[in-house]
Amino acid sequence: MNQSLITPAAPHTVIRPGQLRKFLTRMAANKLASAGGLIVLFYIIVALFAPWIAPYDPYNIHLPDKLLLPSWDHWMGTDDKGRDLLSRIIYGTRLSLLIGVAAVSIGAIFGVFLGLVAGYYGGWLDAIIMRIMDILLAFPGILLALAIVSALGASLINVMIAVGVFSIPMFARIVRGSTLTVRKLEYIDSIRTLGGSDLRIILVHILPNIMSPIIVQITLRLATAILSAAGLSFLGLGAQPPSAEWGALLSSGRDYMFSAPYLALFPGLAISTLVIGFNLFGDGLRDALDPKLK
């Protein structure tokens, strides 16, 4: 008999149209989540179409126009080198989203791998992996990132690596807990009895069933990654001049807090708005995907 015909099907590995419809209905009913999703979508559109949206070249220095107040010609004013602040914030959206996505990708890839291995195999391997994660969690995230960037040097790539590294423990712990729950289900034992390899069980039957908490964590960590990267750039350890990254813009604007406060105000608003958007959207995802609500 063909083994595939008697292999038990993993529950919920395929999203059915009815389930997707319920999920979208829950998301639409959550006004805060919808608002957060619209904010995130707005910034994604801005990042994708920055060259067509930005009214000026963000790196074009024009000293006669330095420190102009917001006006019809320069909606957010100009900086100390005469560069249009709105254009720099628009282009900075690309950098901030890139840093967030890259950092969270690093954390998710390594964290999910370690969590799956620890949760599935258990024993001494689980103990070693989790103790390493506990050591990383013992350090406040921003301090760990500061230490890594200080060791590697100030640059955007090193900021991505640093923020990604302190995101690994969160993914590992969440995935390990979910894996421990799924691996005890009867269909996993049945697949193993029928000769299913560990790799196939992990990738085909466990990972798809624990994607909900991973997706929620990715969304929430994007907000943390963008905020942490902006903080490192503000301290001079991330994006370097003349980069238009939001944290760097905020750092340069602090020197003009009294004479030109808009130089710090508008980048700060951009950072806080995008972070709030991701948090609202992530909270909505968590509520919509919560098994207790199904």
Side-chain angles (χ1 to χ4, degrees):
M1 182 181 295
N2 190 337
Q3 182 172 307
S4 63
L5 296 178
I6 59 175
T7 300
H12 308 305
T13 55
V14 177
I15 299 179
R16 297 179 176 84
Q19 294 174 328
L20 179 60
R21 210 162 29 243
K22 290 180 181 178
F23 166 75
L24 294 176
T25 301
R26 290 194 188 101
M27 288 295 294
N30 190 328
K31 302 303 181 184
L32 291 177
S34 299
L38 290 175
I39 292 172
V40 172
L41 179 61
F42 169 77
Y43 277 105
I44 291 174
I45 292 174
V46 168
L48 291 175
F49 297 98
W52 295 274
I53 297 175
Y56 298 93
D57 183 341
Y59 300 105
N60 184 33
I61 296 176
H62 194 246
L63 293 177
D65 290 338
K66 69 178 183 179
L67 298 178
L68 294 180
L69 293 174
S71 63
W72 284 111
D73 292 329
H74 301 279
W75 289 6
M76 294 184 179
T78 60
D79 65 7
D80 58 323
K81 293 179 176 59
R83 296 171 297 198
D84 182 67
L85 184 59
L86 174 60
S87 300
R88 288 178 64 75
I89 289 177
I90 289 173
Y91 271 82
T93 308
R94 286 183 158 188
L95 288 176
S96 294
L97 286 175
L98 175 63
I99 293 171
V101 171
V104 172
S105 297
I106 293 172
I109 290 171
F110 288 97
V112 170
F113 171 76
L114 293 173
L116 285 170
V117 171
Y120 183 78
Y121 290 103
W124 63 268
L125 191 58
D126 178 25
I128 292 175
I129 293 175
M130 286 300 105
R131 294 303 73 77
I132 295 174
M133 297 300 104
D134 289 341
I135 292 173
L136 293 177
L137 284 172
F139 296 93
I142 190 65
L143 290 183
L144 180 60
L146 274 170
I148 294 173
V149 173
S150 299
L152 297 178
S155 72
L156 274 179
I157 294 178
N158 291 340
V159 166
M160 296 176 192
I161 295 173
V163 177
V165 168
F166 87 71
S167 298
I168 291 175
M170 298 301 299
F171 284 100
R173 292 180 70 87
I174 289 173
V175 172
R176 173 185 177 269
S178 300
T179 302
L180 286 173
T181 301
V182 175
R183 77 167 188 176
K184 296 178 181 178
L185 299 178
E186 292 182 357
Y187 82 92
I188 296 294
D189 293 331
S190 301
I191 295 169
R192 190 180 295 111
T193 302
L194 292 170
S197 65
D198 290 345
L199 183 62
R200 177 177 176 80
I201 291 174
I202 291 173
L203 296 182
V204 178
H205 301 286
I206 292 182
L207 183 58
N209 283 290
I210 62 173
M211 284 304 297
S212 293
I214 294 175
I215 293 172
V216 172
Q217 185 64 17
I218 286 174
T219 306
L220 295 174
R221 292 305 293 184
L222 279 169
T224 302
I226 291 171
L227 190 59
S228 300
L232 291 172
S233 295
F234 180 80
L235 295 174
L237 296 174
Q240 301 298 307
S243 173
E245 196 271 335
W246 289 345
L249 294 180
L250 189 60
S251 179
S252 62
R254 64 181 170 177
D255 296 330
Y256 301 91
M257 286 295 295
F258 297 101
S259 59
Y262 59 88
L263 290 179
L265 174 63
F266 290 122
L269 286 175
I271 295 170
S272 59
T273 304
L274 182 56
V275 169
I276 290 172
F278 272 119
N279 281 327
L280 291 177
F281 186 63
D283 287 340
L285 275 178
R286 181 182 56 199
D287 294 341
L289 295 173
D290 189 348
K292 295 179 182 179
L293 299 178
K294 293 180 181 180

